[in-house]
């Protein structure tokens, strides 16, 4: 199968492209050309590389046609963020491609009203990111229902893994959170710390996309959550991280008002994540696709923290993240 991957050198594409090459597919990797994959792999020597500025070509109305001209059997779109961008790609691929797979987000759900979330729960997103992703999901499924391009949407949680920063137990990217848990320093936590975060390793997301490609008849017209087996509460994740270093998490519960003062620029990210408090079910992906995540939430986060600490990008006061974390 000839598979075009848009955003191929990003978090998930870094893992997905070698998977597809190993499976025997002819892979075309589209990216902006500003970076190499996060991890080198000999499979990339067998990949056709295409450089494209999607934003500029979307604005010019040419990006969809550029992708269609590559004659794909399937397209994996990792970097579509607006309905207009999705619509342009669909129009160009309709009748010329067998399957479009789109990377969504569990933020299409908005604030959780039940746990775990199912794919059939009502969409009540807020904020541009979740709102536009929900609209893209509606557009793609309407396209499939009306007999047009066959589409599948996969909704990852907080993507983690070596190569980039990972969402902390406080729902932000503040490196001081990891330092506090590694050293046993007091960590201010807004509220009771019972909100949930649902991480997933990038390679598990890649696994789900590969499965959806191979099990097309089960995947077309469907949405799937792609997360780890279980979400963690703020308190639970903090305890797990402190345990990597043989410590207990020293948490001080504060009001959101005080937390905003203490966390500064990181407070808004915490609110964005914790106000949603997502815990998503993978029962559907397991049943229809055979999805089986290899990484727990804490192991996915550990892979990222270990990588950053080894490169001097995180200060863990000399502490090491154990390989089995």
């Amino acid at each position: 199968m000839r598979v075009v991957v848009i955003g191929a050198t990003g978090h998930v594409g870094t893992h997905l492209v070698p998977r597809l090459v190993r499976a025997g597919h002819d892979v075309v990797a589209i990216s902006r050309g500003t970076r190499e994959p996060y991890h080198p792999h000999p499979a990339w020597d067998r990949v056709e590389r295409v450089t494209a500025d999607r934003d500029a070509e979307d604005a010019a109305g040419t990006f969809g046609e550029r992708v269609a001209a590559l004659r794909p059997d399937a397209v994996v779109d990792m970097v579509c963020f607006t309905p207009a961008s999705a619509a342009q790609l669909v129009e160009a691929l309709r009748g010329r491609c067998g399957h479009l797979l789109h990377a969504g987000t569990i933020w299409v759900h908005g604030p959780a009203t039940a746990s775990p979330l199912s794919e059939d729960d009502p969409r009540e997103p807020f904020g541009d990111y979740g709102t536009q992703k929900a609209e893209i999901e509606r557009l793609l499924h309407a396209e499939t229902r009306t007999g047009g391009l066959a589409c599948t949407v996969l909704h990852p949680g907080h993507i983690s893994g070596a190569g980039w920063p990972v969402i902390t137990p406080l729902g932000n990217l503040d490196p001081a959170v990891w330092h506090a848990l590694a050293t046993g320093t007091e960590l201010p936590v807004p509220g009771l710390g019972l909100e949930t975060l649902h991480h997933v390793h990038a390679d598990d997301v890649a696994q789900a996309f590969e499965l959806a490609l191979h099990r097309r008849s089960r995947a077309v017209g469907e949405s799937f959550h792609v997360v780890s087996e279980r979400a963690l509460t703020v308190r639970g994740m903090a305890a797990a991280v402190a345990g990597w270093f043989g410590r207990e998490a020293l948490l001080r519960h504060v009001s959101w008002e005080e937390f905003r003062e203490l966390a500064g620029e990181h407070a808004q990210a915490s609110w964005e994540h914790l106000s949603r408090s997502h815990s998503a079910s993978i029962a559907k992906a397991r049943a229809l696709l055979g999805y089986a995540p290899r990484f727990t939430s804490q192991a996915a986060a550990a892979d990222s923290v270990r990588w950053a600490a080894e490169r001097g990008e995180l200060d863990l006061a000399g502490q090491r993240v154990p390989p089995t974390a």
Side-chain angles (χ1 to χ4, degrees):
M1 186 187 306
R2 183 170 172 83
V3 183
V4 171
V5 181
I6 305 171
T9 59
H11 307 333
V12 177
T14 289
H15 295 274
L16 177 60
V17 168
R19 279 178 168 270
L20 297 179
V21 171
R22 287 196 300 268
H25 298 296
D26 176 17
V27 181
V28 181
I30 299 179
S31 70
R32 291 175 298 176
T34 58
R35 67 180 177 209
E36 287 299 299
Y38 285 92
H39 313 291
H41 193 286
W44 286 92
D45 294 336
R46 297 159 57 190
V47 172
E48 180 181 345
R49 304 285 289 270
V50 174
T51 300
D53 182 336
R54 183 175 191 163
D55 290 341
E57 294 189 23
D58 269 348
T62 59
F63 183 74
E65 183 56 38
R66 174 195 274 265
V67 176
L70 294 170
R71 300 175 290 103
D73 297 305
V75 172
V76 176
D77 191 354
M78 304 300 309
V79 289
C80 179
F81 303 109
T82 69
S85 181
Q88 182 186 143
L89 184 61
V90 166
E91 289 288 337
L93 295 179
R94 187 184 296 123
R96 303 166 72 182
C97 174
H99 195 186
L100 171 63
L101 298 94
H102 171 82
T105 171
I106 59 173
W107 280 27
V108 296
H109 288 289
T113 56
S115 184
L117 292 161
S118 80
E119 289 87 347
D120 295 329
D121 285 335
R123 301 291 188 257
E124 298 179 353
F126 67 90
D128 286 346
Y129 180 57
T131 299
Q132 295 199 79
K133 282 291 194 179
E135 181 58 32
I136 292 170
E137 180 185 40
R138 286 191 290 271
L139 182 156
L140 296 181
H141 287 331
E143 173 71 15
T144 302
R145 284 195 305 272
T146 56
L149 178 64
C151 302
T152 299
V153 180
L154 287 85
H155 292 305
H158 310 315
I159 299 174
S160 310
W164 60 93
V166 60
I167 295 297
T168 74
L170 297 188
N172 60 32
L173 293 174
D174 184 359
V177 174
W178 306 113
H179 182 272
L181 293 170
T183 59
T185 306
E186 182 181 84
L187 184 66
V189 172
L192 297 177
L194 298 178
E195 296 88 353
T196 51
L197 296 161
H198 215 156
H199 289 68
V200 62
H201 196 282
D203 188 53
D204 282 331
V205 181
Q207 175 202 155
F209 273 97
E210 183 182 11
L211 287 166
L213 275 170
H214 293 166
R215 301 185 179 184
R216 180 184 181 280
S217 63
R218 297 184 177 188
V220 167
E222 302 288 351
S223 291
F224 298 96
H225 293 151
V226 183
V227 289
S228 68
E229 289 273 3
R230 302 174 71 187
L232 292 174
T233 65
V234 170
R235 291 167 61 180
M237 187 174 181
V241 173
W244 300 344
F245 310 105
R247 300 184 183 277
E248 293 186 4
L250 183 59
L251 307 181
R252 178 166 68 90
H253 298 283
V254 300
S255 68
W256 269 101
E257 290 75 14
E258 183 177 354
F259 181 76
R260 288 187 181 278
E261 293 181 4
L262 294 169
E265 64 179 344
H266 299 287
Q268 184 61 25
S270 292
W271 184 85
E272 292 283 354
H273 285 86
L274 303 185
S275 63
R276 289 170 169 85
S277 194
H278 288 151
S279 173
S281 170
I282 60 171
K284 181 178 177 181
R286 192 196 309 276
L288 295 186
L289 302 180
Y291 173 61
R294 293 193 305 119
F295 292 83
T296 63
S297 286
Q298 52 266 51
D303 196 33
S304 179
V305 173
R306 184 185 305 110
W307 184 91
E310 289 174 351
R311 285 156 182 76
E313 297 176 11
L314 277 181
D315 177 12
L316 301 180
Q319 301 286 324
R320 294 175 61 88
V321 180
T324 57

